[in-house]
Amino acid sequence: MDKQKTGELIKSARIKKGYTQVELGDLLGVTNKAISRWEKGDSFPDIGVIEELSRILDIRIQDIVIGEIKEQNIDSETAVTEVVRVAKLQDKVKKRKFISSGVSCIAAGYMLVCGWYSFRGQADNSILGYLTVSLAIVIAIMLAGEKSGGVHMHNGNAGGRVYNIIGFASMGYCFIMMIACSCIFNNHEADLWKIARYIGKIINVQLIIVFVLNLAVLVIQDYINEHKYEGVMSEAYSLVTACFMSMMYACFLHTLSDIHSFNKYIMIIAVVAVIEMLAAYFISFRIKKHNWSFEK
């Protein structure tokens, strides 16, 4: 099965019949976006519509599955084998979509709960440890969903780079902001409580914005992946890390007691968060490599 070849075959047959993508979609009961994804090779027609697609475009089912029109009849056993293989792969995709949706909902819900306790201003020192563990838990949940995803039937998500840039930029902004805060505290230690009361509120609002932005982007990316890339996990762990880094810094602002602890913990928070994120990317790479080898 070659999705690119099948897409080109569907496109040429559609044009030959004089149908637009919208018209063909109406005849099959699918959207024009689905037709577009087929023709681009981003996805494969569902096994349930292949027979009707074959009838409308006057193409044999085995030709659609294989991706090219054979002048002579191919072995019927080969055609059946290909159809069964497509059906199994599509069943895996549907299961992966279900798993991915569940994992995304669990991770986002857990992050919202953590954010509520972090930004409300009633935290204590112990919550920093909980947030560190929580970051590992959310990343582990996402990795588990990715591990359960099975075979990847997609061509990659180029937009993922943009989302990762947002995550890394947010982490950098959080860290620079807290370094600036540390400098202010070092120069005005006598008025520490005043700075924490006024400047701390401004910084806390900015951290909330960073949290909401990255969580929203993570949800949007997962939604796009579900519909465009067939349920592949986002793998944008930088977004999750940026969310938790903003929560950790906000929590630390609320528990500020002395400048020495502040200087020490802002570095610890950054290092721990980045280590967990990089570990997630490494494990994700190993999972992807294993799945790719399995496909081969």
Side-chain angles (χ1 to χ4, degrees), residues 5-54:
K5 286 184 177 181
T6 296
E8 293 172 2
L9 180 62
I10 292 173
K11 183 177 181 179
S12 61
R14 174 182 62 80
I15 294 174
K16 184 178 180 180
K17 285 287 184 178
Y19 295 129
T20 65
Q21 290 183 344
V22 175
E23 290 170 341
L24 181 58
D26 290 339
L27 290 172
L28 292 171
V30 300
T31 65
N32 63 308
K33 291 182 179 179
I35 304 296
S36 177
R37 290 197 295 270
W38 298 346
E39 294 183 353
K40 290 178 181 177
D42 289 337
S43 65
F44 194 86
D46 189 85
I47 200 70
V49 303
I50 288 183
E51 183 178 0
E52 185 66 10
L53 181 65
S54 170

Side-chain angles (χ1 to χ4, degrees), residues 16-287:
K16 184 178 180 180
K17 285 287 184 178
Y19 295 129
T20 65
Q21 290 183 344
V22 175
E23 290 170 341
L24 181 58
D26 290 339
L27 290 172
L28 292 171
V30 300
T31 65
N32 63 308
K33 291 182 179 179
I35 304 296
S36 177
R37 290 197 295 270
W38 298 346
E39 294 183 353
K40 290 178 181 177
D42 289 337
S43 65
F44 194 86
D46 189 85
I47 200 70
V49 303
I50 288 183
E51 183 178 0
E52 185 66 10
L53 181 65
S54 170
R55 184 187 66 80
I56 293 172
L57 297 182
D58 289 333
I59 307 174
R60 292 176 302 179
I61 293 177
Q62 55 263 42
D63 292 337
I64 294 176
V65 173
I66 295 173
E68 57 182 313
I69 297 176
K70 298 287 187 178
E71 293 298 331
Q72 298 178 348
N73 290 330
I74 63 171
D75 182 26
S76 59
E77 184 178 347
T78 302
V80 171
T81 301
E82 282 295 316
V83 172
V84 171
R85 178 171 176 266
V86 170
K88 288 181 177 179
L89 287 174
Q90 289 184 342
D91 183 58
K92 288 184 178 180
V93 168
K94 290 177 181 178
K95 289 180 180 178
R96 186 171 67 244
K97 282 186 177 183
F98 178 78
I99 294 172
S100 179
S101 298
V103 167
S104 299
C105 290
I106 293 172
Y110 188 72
M111 289 168 69
L112 281 172
V113 173
C114 291
W116 167 256
Y117 283 103
S118 301
F119 293 115
R120 66 178 182 168
Q122 299 176 359
D124 53 42
N125 288 321
S126 63
I127 200 172
L128 278 175
Y130 290 129
L131 288 174
T132 301
V133 174
S134 294
L135 172 58
I137 290 173
V138 171
I139 288 178
I141 290 172
M142 296 178 68
L143 284 170
E146 192 172 331
K147 176 69 174 178
S148 302
V151 180
H152 289 177
M153 289 178 61
H154 71 107
N155 295 327
N157 183 357
R161 290 191 294 269
V162 176
Y163 300 125
N164 277 320
I165 289 173
I166 294 174
F168 283 114
S170 297
M171 284 191 291
Y173 180 74
C174 286
F175 188 64
I176 291 172
M177 188 166 51
M178 298 309 288
I179 291 293
C181 187
S182 176
C183 293
I184 294 173
F185 289 161
N186 276 306
N187 293 329
H188 302 83
E189 189 169 356
D191 297 325
L192 190 61
W193 68 274
K194 292 182 180 179
I195 296 172
R197 181 177 179 183
Y198 297 108
I199 297 180
K201 286 184 178 180
I202 297 173
I203 294 175
N204 191 58
V205 170
Q206 293 178 350
L207 291 171
I208 292 174
I209 293 173
V210 170
F211 171 78
V212 172
L213 171 65
N214 282 271
L215 183 58
V217 171
L218 183 66
V219 171
I220 291 170
Q221 185 191 17
D222 282 337
Y223 177 81
I224 292 174
N225 284 342
E226 286 291 327
H227 290 78
K228 190 173 182 180
Y229 295 98
E230 302 185 325
V232 180
M233 291 300 296
S234 65
E235 302 177 10
Y237 303 108
S238 58
L239 296 173
V240 178
T241 306
C243 285
F244 274 93
M245 190 177 285
S246 64
M247 285 190 276
M248 291 175 185
Y249 284 156
C251 172
F252 192 57
L253 280 175
H254 297 148
T255 59
L256 178 64
S257 57
D258 64 89
I259 192 63
H260 302 294
S261 297
F262 187 85
N263 291 335
K264 179 177 72 173
Y265 278 107
I266 59 172
M267 295 299 297
I268 292 175
I269 289 171
V271 170
V272 170
V274 170
I275 287 175
E276 290 188 12
M277 178 194 65
L278 293 178
Y281 274 114
F282 175 76
I283 296 172
S284 176
F285 172 77
R286 299 296 299 176
I287 292 173

